Amino acid sequence: MHLEYQVYEADFVNAGSASSAVKKTLKQLNINPKIIKRVVVALYEAEVNAIAHAYGGTITADIEPDRIRMVVADKGPGIPDIDWAMQEGNSTASPEVRDMGFGAGMGLPNIKNNVDKLNVSSTVGVGTTVEMEVMFV
Amino acid sequence: MTIKQISELLEANVLCGADRLEEENDMVFASDLMSEVLTIGDHSPILLTGLCNMQTIRTCEMGNLNVIVLVRKKKATEEMIEEAEDEGMVLMECDYSMFKACGLLYNAGMRPIF
């Protein structure tokens, strides 16, 4: 099953809509609730990142019998130093993002803690792609 | 404690989810930082927060938290109430500070998740 969503820059009101839709789909498929939580926590953090730090982007989720693969590809400023961004506490978030309850430098570490596979690639001035995979068993 | 007892102790105004007031919960997590709420693993504590926007509701949806207490006189928007209602959550407003609300609940036997 292939799902695809668009997210838009600074669209905080709808931030989480894509993750919510994926959650509902996984529930309908009777996936273990503990696994669903890991999937949606990671996806939600990545979705918020695309809205908060970039100029929007595309979220795709491919659900297979034994796993879900998710890709959040944003059009944005890119991350100059991914290793720095992966460390808890490091953030470049705006005050507006912090007002939304994010921007404490926990997003990427939270993602890493909840997925089985993670790849973050980024080109400064072009955008960032976060690829995540969670096994169902 | 039941959710109803919690709402009475905090003199909170229940905005939606009245059908869940007899449910029990003995754990509380208190934070204004939503990324922190997303780190609590499999637990489903009551959330006490001063963050009052749509992300409060969305974060609880992602984290499987079903009871939200807005502290510090924060008032939920219609949109937040609708979303919480759609998700089957209990959403309430409380005039107390985070510290006072936490203290009252701790004294009444509610416990932290760590």
Side-chain angles (χ1 to χ4, degrees), chain A residues 90-134:
Chain A
N90 291 346
S91 178
T92 56
S94 64
E96 193 188 6
V97 174
R98 292 174 198 269
D99 285 347
M100 299 305 294
F102 293 91
M106 296 177 72
L108 284 170
N110 260 1
I111 292 171
K112 194 177 175 189
N113 288 337
N114 282 286
V115 299
D116 294 308
K117 273 189 196 167
L118 172 66
N119 185 48
V120 182
S121 53
S122 190
T123 305
V124 172
V126 178
T128 300
T129 299
V130 178
E131 297 166 90
M132 302 167 281
E133 190 173 305
V134 176

Side-chain angles (χ1 to χ4, degrees), chain B residues 75-86:
Chain B
K75 300 296 175 204
T77 63
E78 280 303 317
E79 209 172 19
M80 287 170 67
I81 298 168
E82 262 174 45
E83 183 83 6
E85 213 159 18
D86 285 350

Side-chain angles (χ1 to χ4, degrees), chain A residues 1 31 62-68 135-137:
Chain A
M1 184 187 292
I31 303 297
D62 286 283
I63 303 168
E64 296 169 20
D66 63 341
R67 74 191 71 192
I68 180 167
M135 304 297 294
F136 292 150
V137 283

Side-chain angles (χ1 to χ4, degrees), chain A residues 14 36 77 105:
Chain A
N14 291 308
I36 295 179

Side-chain angles (χ1 to χ4, degrees), chain B residues 5 35 48 54 89:
Chain B
Q5 287 171 318
S35 277
L48 263 61
M54 279 300 282
M89 295 171 179

Side-chain angles (χ1 to χ4, degrees), chain B residues 65-80:
Chain B
L65 278 70
N66 301 312
V67 183
I68 305 169
V69 182
L70 301 172
V71 296
R72 300 198 295 267
K73 301 183 183 178
K74 296 292 168 75
K75 300 296 175 204
T77 63
E78 280 303 317
E79 209 172 19
M80 287 170 67

